[in-house]
């Protein structure tokens, strides 16, 4: 198997996932037709692997993507997956049980561990201070300092800056602090698509029937920032499983988000009385935002695959002479 790109001659990075294909961090394969490509990170060209060296790699990739891959996005023809240190393009619809929102679940668990670590450091520091000062340091015990500082360092003070006018009295709003985001009402966007956020006006006091309304990309960005800020402590694995069950029960991320938005709850109420649904909302909001970006990449991948498939068909059947080629292709279709 080659170690450099056939087009730009840049060395292909090594991976630790495939025994029979050590070079290449991004690969594409078609198990039905027996195709295998290594995608160059430098020029993005697809390097078609020699036909006599594909079969063991194809079997490895099929096992890896079926058993341990994470589905990022897919169309009817192409699926984009993450498997260990590989990015994999699989031609043909992937049937995987794990969906994309589990990525955010793992992020929430990581935040929880980080929060526990900071709190542990504070406890140890408090005890050490108490011992050194003869008990004076005990007065600070129970007051968290590191966590608020860490949260401020990551997010700052302002959640949103822009231009908004109250729909009732015309008062201007130029920025929104994180402390104010608990008063945000989460409602449906135009024609029931996505979410819209409404904040009560400081002058006239209206929120549900007036106040400041944000929609589209601005609302989505603010919602994701506010939820990440309020969920700085993360969530337990049990709560994350419950949150993903809530989303799955609705049938899709979009259906669940629409159902929640129709209730028009304030973010603070959601956090205080429906914590699991608040966690589910952060998972859903991030999932929807990333799917938009992945769909753009997937469209380009599908276009590139169609071009490379035409070339591969010519190479495999007209330019490459391998005795028993049809027998090998039949073997690949039967075993993959």
């Amino acid at each position: 198997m080659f170690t450099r790109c056939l087009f730009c001659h840049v060395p292909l990075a090594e991976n630790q996932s495939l025994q029979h294909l050590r070079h290449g961090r991004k690969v594409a394969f078609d198990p039905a037709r027996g195709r295998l490509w290594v995608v160059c990170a430098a020029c993005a060209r697809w390097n078609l692997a020699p036909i006599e060296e594909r079969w063991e790699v194809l079997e490895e990739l099929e096992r890896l993507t079926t058993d341990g891959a994470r589905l990022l996005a897919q169309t009817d023809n192409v699926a984009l997956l993450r498997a260990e240190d590989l990015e994999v393009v699989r031609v043909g619809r992937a049937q995987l049980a794990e969906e994309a929102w589990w990525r955010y679940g793992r992020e929430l668990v990581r935040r929880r561990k980080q929060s526990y670590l900071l709190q542990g450091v504070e406890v140890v520091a408090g005890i050490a201070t108490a011992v050194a000062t003869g008990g004076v340091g005990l007065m600070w015990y129970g007051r968290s300092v590191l966590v608020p500082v860490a949260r401020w360092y990551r997010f700052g003070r302002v959640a949103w800056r822009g231009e908004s006018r109250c729909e009732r009295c015309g008062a201007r709003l130029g920025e929104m602090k994180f402390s104010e985001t608990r008063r945000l009402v989460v409602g449906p966007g135009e024609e029931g698509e996505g979410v819209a956020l409404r904040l009560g006006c400081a002058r006239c006091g209206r929120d549900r029937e007036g106040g400041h309304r944000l929609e589209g990309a601005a609302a989505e960005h603010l919602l994701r920032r506010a939820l990440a800020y309020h969920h700085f402590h993360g969530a337990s694995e049990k709560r994350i499983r419950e949150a993903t069950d809530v989303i799955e029960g609705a049938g899709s991320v979009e259906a669940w988000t629409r159902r929640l938005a129709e209730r028009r709850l304030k973010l603070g109420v959601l956090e205080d009385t429906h914590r699991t649904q608040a966690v589910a909302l952060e998972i859903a909001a991030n999932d929807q935002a990333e799917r938009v970006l992945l769909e753009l990449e997937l469209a380009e991948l599908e276009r590139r695959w169609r071009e490379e498939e035409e070339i591969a068909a010519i190479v495999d059947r007209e330019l490459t002479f391998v005795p028993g080629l049809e027998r090998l292709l039949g073997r690949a279709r039967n075993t993959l």
Side-chain angles (χ1 to χ4, degrees), residues 49-317:
I51 195 168
E52 65 274 10
E53 299 182 15
R54 298 177 194 170
W55 313 113
E56 292 82 0
V57 183
L58 288 171
E59 291 176 0
E60 271 193 282
L61 281 169
E62 188 71 354
R63 287 195 302 269
L64 186 64
T65 54
T66 301
D67 298 338
R70 190 170 68 242
L71 178 63
L72 302 180
Q74 64 181 4
T75 66
D76 290 338
N77 300 308
V78 175
L80 182 62
L81 309 103
R82 171 70 64 182
E84 299 178 6
D85 62 343
L86 282 176
E87 190 172 341
V88 181
V89 180
R90 185 188 191 280
V91 178
R93 196 169 182 85
Q95 300 297 326
L96 298 178
E98 186 180 19
E99 290 292 341
W101 51 68
W102 280 103
R103 295 196 302 282
Y104 311 109
R106 282 191 284 273
E107 166 63 16
L108 286 165
V109 170
R110 186 195 66 78
R111 288 187 212 163
R112 187 176 180 86
K113 292 178 179 178
Q114 174 182 278
S115 178
Y116 281 155
L117 177 62
L118 290 174
Q119 293 174 32
V121 170
E122 286 184 329
V123 170
V124 172
I127 294 174
T129 303
V131 171
T133 60
V136 176
L138 285 175
M139 64 181 295
W140 297 104
Y141 182 76
R143 297 186 183 181
S144 180
V145 176
L146 288 180
V147 172
V149 169
R151 183 160 61 178
W152 174 84
Y153 181 78
R154 178 174 178 181
F155 293 100
R157 179 181 62 89
V158 178
W160 169 86
R161 285 189 175 92
E163 178 74 26
S164 175
R165 296 282 178 177
C166 174
E167 295 180 349
R168 188 170 187 272
C169 70
R172 177 184 177 276
L173 179 69
E175 68 175 30
M176 190 185 308
K177 301 180 181 65
F178 279 108
S179 58
E180 298 175 300
T181 57
R182 286 178 56 85
R183 296 192 289 113
L184 283 170
V185 177
V186 182
E190 290 186 358
E191 300 181 358
E193 296 295 328
V195 298
L197 301 177
R198 192 181 291 277
L199 181 70
C201 177
R203 179 190 293 176
C204 67
R206 296 300 183 95
D207 51 13
R208 296 180 188 275
E209 300 301 330
H212 303 276
R213 179 181 172 90
L214 297 177
E215 293 185 286
E220 293 171 3
H221 182 67
L222 172 58
L223 181 62
R224 283 159 47 212
R225 276 178 57 80
L227 288 167
Y229 178 88
H230 293 302
H231 298 162
F232 185 76
H233 294 282
S236 67
E237 293 187 20
K238 179 176 181 294
R239 190 178 294 280
I240 292 166
R241 285 195 297 270
E242 292 172 350
T244 54
D245 287 343
V246 167
I247 296 173
E248 287 181 320
S252 69
V253 170
E254 293 78 8
W256 182 83
T257 304
R258 185 166 54 250
R259 185 182 303 175
L260 177 70
E262 289 171 353
R263 296 164 61 186
R264 290 178 168 81
L265 295 174
K266 287 188 176 181
L267 201 57
V269 173
L270 194 65
E271 293 289 345
D272 295 340
T273 62
H274 306 284
R275 180 70 173 179
T276 297
Q277 294 188 32
V279 171
L281 181 59
E282 182 180 359
I283 293 172
N286 281 289
D287 180 79
Q288 287 176 315
E290 185 159 312
R291 280 182 187 273
V292 172
L293 299 177
L294 287 172
E295 284 170 4
L296 295 175
E297 180 179 355
L298 212 57
E300 175 61 23
L301 285 172
E302 184 162 350
R303 184 191 66 80
R304 179 59 62 87
W305 160 66
R306 293 186 185 280
E307 295 175 354
E308 297 297 334
E309 170 57 28
E310 293 179 3
I311 298 172
I314 296 173
V315 171
D316 282 357
R317 298 185 180 276

